[in-house]
Amino acid sequence: MPLEGHPDAGALEATARPRVLFVDDEQELLDGLRLLLHRLRRRWDVRFAVGGSAALALLAQEPFDIVVTDMRMPVMDGAELLDQVRRLHPSVTRLVLSGHCDDATGRRAARVAHQWLAKPCEPGQLVAALERARVTRELLCSDALKRHVAGITRLPAPDPLIVELTELLADATVDAGAVAELVSRDSALTARVLQLSNSAFFGPTQSIEDLHEAVMRLGLATLAELVVEGELVGRLEPPLAGFSLDEHAARARIVGRVAGALLRGRPEARAAALAGLLSTIGRLVLAHSALAEFASVAAAAAANAAPLTQLELGAFGVRQEVVGAALLASWGIPAHVTDLVLHSADPGPTQPTGLDALVALHLACGLTDEALGGLQGPALDRALLARLGLEAQVSAWQALAADCVAEERRRAQARRAA
């Protein structure tokens, strides 16, 4: 979901139906998709290409909103195709529809794909993915967001190593060894990891000097907090009265922990937790791009105990989640994490079907605000929870959020005492 405009953006906006290009090396599979999607012909303009070269040729001739590709194709695989789409047509949303592939190929695809759908894919799941892609594009092309793009482009970009580390921390299959190897390339980050792992909070019985052991002791979730807060969010600190960066960071940590805990044991838990840490980075972007307006909003929220999210939307005409997602996309943060941040305030239009990473993040934001006794983000979408049959679990999740708040307060005390 990059920020750069599509060279054919005008044509895209003039198209009544979103345009989708499916790519596979098997004509029979494309024919099956054609039949499957025939009933949606009034909602979607769907085209098909056999192989990556044919897809790129078609993209050069006509504008598309979404590209959906298989991974295992000869000559040009899906990851290479999507990488070229990302560079040549940056506003096109990129999806993978593929069966199993090796870990290396999967990681290549994860860096350039907004979403991965596994074959065989249920028709409802495919349609829901296309709808989410449509909603995403509409949000990121809004006029209100464009008014803040100039401010976003003036912000510092993170070190490429930090972006690569963020990708690893969002990967459900990565181990501590790979993370430690990457951390070792940055001496300052290595020092912080070793310092924190030897702190009294983690109760070490002996000093740790091995980086791999330090990463193991901290855990990848805590390391993600360190990277996000120190290397990403830390670059955007706004000098504002009435706005506490410490409180902002503490809430983000809690949201990340709650999101991860809601999905404990599931592959998507790590990405949801990372998205939680980044879920309000757009608020800091607004503070940089429109400092005077944001100062008034923050002061009004503090004085009237009003929901900050509503005041922001009224003042800027865009949710901070949309602004944050735009920044993360411009930085090259993994697309599936960016997508979670983008839709966290209002997951309903993306048609979730259960407790997935997006619903867990939405829950984590609302539950955290309830536990903290304020409303920084949107209230829980109770109608969505009812539709998904999740209402009965809310009380247990509220207790989980309260535990995470208590844990954050214990950690804060330990940091102050250190």
Side-chain angles (χ1 to χ4, degrees), residues 56-312:
L56 290 175
L58 196 55
L59 282 160
Q61 298 170 11
E62 305 175 35
F64 285 89
D65 299 285
I66 304 168
V67 169
V68 186
T69 183
D70 184 33
M71 277 298 297
R72 294 179 292 183
M73 298 186 295
V75 183
M76 181 188 301
D77 67 12
E80 182 181 351
L81 169 62
L82 293 186
D83 186 48
Q84 294 207 41
V85 172
R86 177 183 60 83
R87 290 186 294 104
L88 298 172
H89 309 281
S91 70
V92 173
T93 302
R94 305 173 297 277
L95 276 66
V96 169
L97 176 60
S98 186
H100 177 75
C101 66
D102 60 84
D103 289 346
T105 304
R107 287 175 183 170
R108 284 174 54 223
R111 295 177 180 178
V112 292
H114 294 102
Q115 191 172 354
W116 183 298
L117 301 170
K119 291 180 181 176
C121 183
E122 293 292 330
Q125 184 183 7
L126 176 58
V127 171
L130 294 177
E131 285 292 334
R132 177 177 291 190
R134 178 189 62 78
V135 173
T136 294
R137 187 179 183 284
E138 289 179 357
L139 285 172
L140 292 182
C141 290
S142 71
D143 291 337
L145 174 62
K146 291 174 183 176
R147 286 196 293 271
H148 297 285
V149 168
I152 293 174
T153 58
R154 289 195 299 269
L155 294 173
D159 189 297
L161 181 141
I162 297 303
V163 173
E164 187 176 352
L165 182 56
T166 305
E167 291 177 355
L168 278 186
L169 293 170
D171 185 345
T173 65
V174 76
D175 59 24
V179 172
E181 191 281 327
L182 192 56
V183 169
S184 70
R185 301 183 200 172
D186 185 286
S187 58
L189 186 57
T190 296
R192 285 197 292 276
V193 168
L194 289 171
Q195 179 187 30
L196 185 57
S197 67
N198 283 288
S199 69
F201 179 78
F202 289 92
T205 56
Q206 58 185 14
S207 177
I208 293 178
E209 298 180 1
D210 177 75
L211 185 57
H212 181 275
E213 186 179 352
V215 170
M216 290 285 289
R217 169 169 285 175
L218 288 180
L220 297 185
T222 299
L223 183 59
E225 293 178 3
L226 178 67
V227 169
V228 167
E229 187 175 331
E231 302 296 334
L232 295 178
V233 175
R235 295 168 176 265
L236 306 176
E237 181 174 355
L240 289 179
F243 182 84
S244 168
L245 187 66
D246 288 341
E247 291 179 5
H248 178 276
R251 179 188 179 275
R253 287 192 294 266
I254 297 166
V255 170
R257 291 169 195 160
V258 173
L262 289 171
L263 298 172
R264 184 172 286 119
R266 291 169 53 176
E268 61 267 40
R270 193 174 292 168
L274 185 58
L277 291 168
L278 293 165
S279 59
T280 50
I281 195 170
R283 188 158 288 147
L284 303 183
V285 175
L286 291 174
H288 274 262
S289 64
L291 181 60
E293 293 175 84
F294 189 85
S296 297
V297 167
N304 303 312
L308 183 55
T309 184
Q310 292 181 10
L311 296 178
E312 286 171 339

